[in-house]
Amino acid sequence: SDRHEEVQRFLMQLKASDEVWRARIVDLNGQVIFSTETQEIKQLTLSVLPKMIQEGRGLQSEKQEGGQTYAIAMRPVANGPSCQKCHDARHVFNGAILTERSLAPAHANIAASIPPPASGSRPFVNIGASPSRYSCRKYHTQAKAVRP
């Protein structure tokens, strides 16, 4: 139907934004009904989701895949009045939308924002000493110096 094409197009636009690596919409049973990875449609079921969807709970997590870290977010899709033209009105939720975003751009931004050490400066912890003893000794020395 036209609505199905519109939903699939929406997911593909999300993926084209360079922020979303993968997006899926699952039904109440956790079965993938739309995906940016079209081979997953009606072939993949995410078993942990049905209970979370029915309870209206979201999910935020991270995963490692192919040497990359991805942030995962899942939000239930409410079955509002306009949805009930096609969907059963007895259900509070129709399913959920899941997005996976690469954290590589965020990690790169953080790394770029950390200034390099000043020329000639020494790291806080001396490799040759016990790090916890050295840190504590330095902290106590500085604390005594600032006491009135």
Side-chain angles (χ1 to χ4, degrees):
S1 79
D2 289 341
R3 295 295 281 173
H4 287 209
E5 291 172 13
E6 182 181 339
V7 171
Q8 188 64 37
R9 195 169 35 254
F10 167 73
L11 290 182
M12 297 311 277
Q13 287 172 345
L14 276 178
K15 185 175 180 175
S17 73
D18 288 333
E19 296 224 0
V20 173
W21 176 64
R22 181 184 299 159
R24 301 176 175 125
I25 295 179
V26 298
D27 66 13
L28 290 171
N29 297 315
Q31 185 178 42
V32 175
I33 54 174
F34 296 101
S35 177
T36 55
E37 308 293 322
T38 56
Q39 71 275 10
E40 294 179 342
I41 297 172
K42 298 193 180 201
Q43 300 299 314
L44 178 66
T45 300
L46 306 171
S47 61
V48 71
L49 298 179
K51 183 174 177 162
M52 295 181 78
I53 294 168
Q54 291 167 359
E55 294 173 354
R57 295 187 332 194
L59 166 75
Q60 291 186 342
S61 185
E62 289 183 7
K63 75 173 191 173
Q64 298 285 322
E65 187 174 311
Q68 292 280 331
T69 304
Y70 295 94
I72 303 168
M74 187 271 301
R75 295 286 178 263
V77 176
N79 188 11
S82 64
C83 302
Q84 294 171 12
K85 294 174 186 169
C86 300
H87 296 275
D88 188 342
R90 292 177 293 172
H91 298 291
V92 177
F93 300 100
N94 288 326
I97 185 167
L98 290 95
T99 57
E100 297 178 29
R101 305 172 92 179
S102 172
L103 292 177
H107 291 166
N109 285 337
I110 291 168
S113 69
I114 298 173
S119 178
S121 68
R122 292 181 24 194
F124 180 70
V125 176
N126 183 343
I127 302 293
S130 163
S132 60
R133 281 191 358 184
Y134 180 78
S135 300
C136 291
R137 185 171 58 242
K138 183 172 183 175
Y139 171 78
H140 288 296
T141 303
Q142 291 173 342
K144 288 177 187 174
V146 295
R147 286 188 190 154

